[in-house]
Amino acid sequence: MIPYATIEEASIALGRNLTRLETLWFDYSATKSDYYLYCHNILFLFLVFSLVPLPLVFVELARSASGWFNRYKIQPKVNYSLSDMFKCYKDVMTMFILVVGPLQLVSYPSIQMIEVRSGLPLPTITEILSQLVVYFLIEDYTNYWVHRFFHSKWGYDKIHRVHHEYTAPIGYAAPYAHWAEVLLLGIPTFMGPAIAPGHMITFWLWIALRQMEAIETHSGYDFPWSPTKYIPFYGGAEYHDYHHYVGGQSQSNFASVFTYCDYIYGTDKGYRFQKKLLEQIKESSKKGNKHNGGIKSD
């Protein structure tokens, strides 16, 4: 809760006038507890889980009906009906109500412990972006090792096999997992803010963006216009789709966001070999078509 009764008091304490955004934040949050603000994550996660994958539902239905977007589908032989995708969403919402929501409600003491702040001044754009980069890097590295544990025999059979029920992932399947996996993967997500705590707004953005990234990598589509194509070392949908395609036997492409861990620790060799093989097949096919096109019959 902001420790100022009025905007004037806040201005005196900061030694300057509040910016327009700070004024809006003061008007909204001044009388609300930090716990109440933290629990906004429940609403944000619900909206992200529900709305962000929705355009992919229409893409999948349009592709199945008319072949539109077929060139972007990573596993084009797999089709999902509306009922298939709605069932996945219902399963995710069940997990959200029983595990994710309650976890948010009871985890506030950890936010107090690491001192995520909710007052003034608001963080600058530079501060927000730099912290988000740190959060993504830390989460990616720690998630890599947790994910490798999930692909041990015990970890896969007891926990991770649930997530791999979708060998051709869809957007709604990003958070589809065993309850124990949901809890354990909260540790890498929390590590970044614990090491470099920031403002509550930065924390909100981090939680939302991380889930949006997971939905994109589970989309099942490799869209060439995606802005994430310009992020260095970003894995993306095609990269993670291979991991699901191989399934339980997969010892490749464990990274959640970037590709550097898989490269450093040699867990992308199968993916790189398959990709090189497919490129060779495509090149041979092109050469064959050109050769056949140049033959004239009498």
Side-chain angles (χ1 to χ4, degrees), residues 84-101:
D84 293 332
M85 292 181 279
F86 185 64
K87 179 184 181 302
C88 181
Y89 174 70
K90 286 194 299 182
D91 292 339
V92 167
M93 283 297 105
T94 300
M95 185 65 65
F96 181 83
I97 293 169
L98 297 179
V99 179
V100 177

Side-chain angles (χ1 to χ4, degrees), residues 32-94:
K32 295 177 176 64
S33 68
D34 289 347
Y35 178 69
Y36 181 86
L37 293 173
Y38 171 69
C39 287
H40 281 47
N41 270 325
I42 299 174
L43 173 62
F44 296 149
L45 285 172
F46 172 76
L47 292 175
V48 169
F49 288 164
S50 300
L51 300 180
V52 174
L54 196 56
L56 296 167
V57 171
F58 296 114
V59 168
E60 181 68 14
L61 294 176
R63 188 193 70 85
S64 298
S66 62
W68 292 358
F69 304 106
N70 215 41
R71 70 175 71 179
Y72 308 121
K73 179 75 172 180
I74 300 170
Q75 297 187 47
K77 293 182 179 179
V78 179
N79 297 306
Y80 288 109
S81 66
L82 182 60
S83 62
D84 293 332
M85 292 181 279
F86 185 64
K87 179 184 181 302
C88 181
Y89 174 70
K90 286 194 299 182
D91 292 339
V92 167
M93 283 297 105
T94 300

Side-chain angles (χ1 to χ4, degrees), residues 230-289:
Y230 300 97
I231 300 176
F233 307 109
Y234 185 77
E238 184 208 14
Y239 189 82
H240 192 68
D241 200 281
Y242 173 82
H243 177 82
H244 276 262
Y245 175 75
V246 177
Q249 303 302 316
S250 177
Q251 294 298 317
S252 184
N253 295 23
F254 292 115
S256 61
V257 182
F258 304 106
T259 60
Y260 68 92
C261 279
D262 283 307
Y263 181 80
I264 291 171
Y265 299 112
T267 50
D268 64 347
K269 293 178 180 178
Y271 167 75
R272 286 191 284 131
F273 175 79
Q274 188 206 45
K275 191 170 184 178
K276 184 177 180 181
L277 185 63
L278 289 175
E279 288 174 354
Q280 290 174 346
I281 292 172
K282 287 180 181 179
E283 190 64 28
S284 298
S285 178
K286 287 180 182 179
K287 289 181 180 179
N289 290 336

Side-chain angles (χ1 to χ4, degrees), residues 98-159:
L98 297 179
V99 179
V100 177
L103 179 63
Q104 294 294 314
L105 291 173
V106 302
S107 60
Y108 177 67
S110 63
I111 298 299
Q112 288 180 304
M113 181 181 66
I114 65 175
E115 299 181 349
V116 171
R117 64 186 185 88
S118 62
L120 296 173
L122 291 183
T124 64
I125 295 297
T126 302
E127 182 182 346
I128 291 174
L129 291 178
S130 61
Q131 286 184 317
L132 287 174
V133 169
V134 170
Y135 295 173
F136 269 107
L137 289 172
I138 293 173
E139 193 277 344
D140 184 69
Y141 187 82
T142 50
N143 184 292
Y144 172 85
W145 292 105
V146 175
H147 197 177
R148 286 192 69 167
F149 160 73
F150 282 147
H151 276 267
S152 65
K153 179 171 176 47
W154 186 92
Y156 188 87
D157 291 343
K158 301 295 183 182
I159 301 175

Side-chain angles (χ1 to χ4, degrees), residues 142-214:
T142 50
N143 184 292
Y144 172 85
W145 292 105
V146 175
H147 197 177
R148 286 192 69 167
F149 160 73
F150 282 147
H151 276 267
S152 65
K153 179 171 176 47
W154 186 92
Y156 188 87
D157 291 343
K158 301 295 183 182
I159 301 175
H160 195 50
R161 62 175 178 79
V162 175
H163 184 66
H164 274 271
E165 288 175 11
Y166 287 89
T167 55
I170 55 176
Y172 279 122
Y176 178 83
H178 190 281
W179 64 266
E181 179 168 347
V182 173
L183 293 178
L184 287 172
L185 288 181
I187 298 172
T189 303
F190 183 72
M191 286 289 288
I195 293 172
H199 197 274
M200 187 68 74
I201 290 176
T202 308
F203 189 79
W204 287 348
L205 284 170
W206 160 237
I207 297 298
L209 288 173
R210 177 62 186 90
Q211 295 307 316
M212 291 169 69
E213 184 278 330

